[in-house]
Amino acid sequence: MTSPADVPHLTPNQINALVVLMVEARRLTNVELKELAGFTLTGKDNTKLVDLGLVDTDRTHRPFAHELTEAGWRVARQLHTAAPPKAGGSTTRSLFVVLSNLHRSLDRLRVSHGDFFKQTGATAPATSEPRHEAPAPTASATTAAPAAAPVSAAEVEALVRSAYRELTTAPGAWVGLADVRDRLADTDRAALDAALRAMVGREDVRIIPVANTKSLTARDRAAAVRIGNEDNHALAIGPA
């Protein structure tokens, strides 16, 4: 598993690719990389990042397209904790200074890197569950008991807020999503995830990943909600 400790062994071009893919928070072709940052991700640089599991490259058509993997996001978020590669010079060192200050600011604001950089005008992610048309009712189905009405997004959000109030003693305190899910065990997982993602846009809501991933239990990981290419584990509602 690659960690920030491996960063000194990456080339400046590889580090630049990780940073650009992080801040764009989307799949980029080599043409787009060239237009945005003045370089492409090819050859040994591309091969190494793919072999390390940091970048997923689509080579089925040209121009090749690249996207950060989950491991790539983790390393990109923590680049500032590593020593810059000596071959990078002043430009790379300046980039690390920017990343360090960015991390400090996001930590103070309790905003994740993925949420900060997400494309606000983007369409729903490809990983979202496809919607299927319901089959036409059969004759036997007409006599079956009616299905329960689906819970609306507003109702699920109300349930989340109610569970949060039961778990905390003061607004703005952090609670684990695992505890929230336990309180809402009867709520559909997909509906609850959708509500949590929508709530991130509320001014009084913060949903973030736990920085110290070693402290996470299997229960915490299973309860995480995926937002902006990151697993998020903690919820706070109240004054920012």
Side-chain angles (χ1 to χ4, degrees):
M1 180 180 293
T2 303
S3 71
D6 300 306
V7 170
H9 303 294
L10 298 179
T11 67
N13 198 60
Q14 291 163 358
I15 290 173
N16 290 340
L18 294 179
V19 173
V20 173
L21 289 172
M22 175 178 68
V23 300
E24 281 295 303
R26 61 187 176 94
R27 185 175 290 267
L28 293 174
T29 67
N30 276 327
V31 172
E32 291 174 307
L33 277 173
K34 185 69 174 179
E35 292 176 347
L36 288 168
F39 69 91
T40 58
L41 184 56
T42 58
K44 293 181 179 179
D45 284 333
N46 180 218
T47 299
K48 184 168 184 178
L49 292 179
V50 171
D51 289 346
L52 289 173
L54 304 181
V55 168
D56 174 57
T57 296
D58 181 3
R59 295 190 175 91
T60 60
H61 57 82
R62 291 182 179 275
F64 293 167
H66 317 280
E67 187 173 18
L68 286 183
T69 63
E70 183 175 347
W73 268 97
R74 183 179 64 252
V75 170
R77 290 196 304 267
Q78 299 176 354
L79 275 173
H80 68 281
T81 65
K86 295 180 180 179
S90 60
T91 300
T92 303
R93 288 182 173 275
S94 297
L95 176 61
F96 273 65
V97 172
V98 172
L99 292 174
S100 180
N101 282 276
L102 171 68
H103 178 84
R104 186 179 68 246
S105 296
L106 294 183
D107 187 59
R108 184 180 69 251
L109 295 171
R110 296 292 185 180
V111 176
S112 71
H113 288 67
D115 189 46
F116 181 77
F117 289 122
K118 69 181 177 182
Q119 298 285 334
T120 55
T123 56
T127 54
S128 58
E129 295 184 5
R131 301 182 67 176
H132 302 283
E133 293 184 1
T138 62
S140 59
T142 59
T143 59
V151 181
S152 70
E155 289 174 314
V156 177
E157 179 173 337
L159 290 173
V160 172
R161 290 179 178 273
S162 176
Y164 176 83
R165 288 192 296 269
E166 293 173 0
L167 290 166
T168 59
T169 57
W174 291 100
V175 301
L177 288 182
D179 293 331
V180 175
R181 290 193 191 278
D182 283 349
R183 293 272 177 161
L184 304 178
D186 294 333
T187 304
D188 178 71
R189 171 82 185 222
L192 180 52
D193 284 357
L196 290 170
R197 294 188 183 103
M199 290 175 69
V200 170
R202 310 280 191 261
E203 291 186 359
D204 63 333
V205 176
R206 297 288 183 272
I207 302 177
I208 65 168
V210 171
N212 181 14
T213 56
K214 292 182 179 180
S215 68
L216 293 173
T217 65
R219 175 172 171 267
D220 293 324
R221 295 180 188 278
V225 60
R226 193 76 170 173
I227 302 175
N229 292 322
E230 287 185 297
D231 285 335
N232 293 262
H233 316 91
L235 164 72
I237 303 177

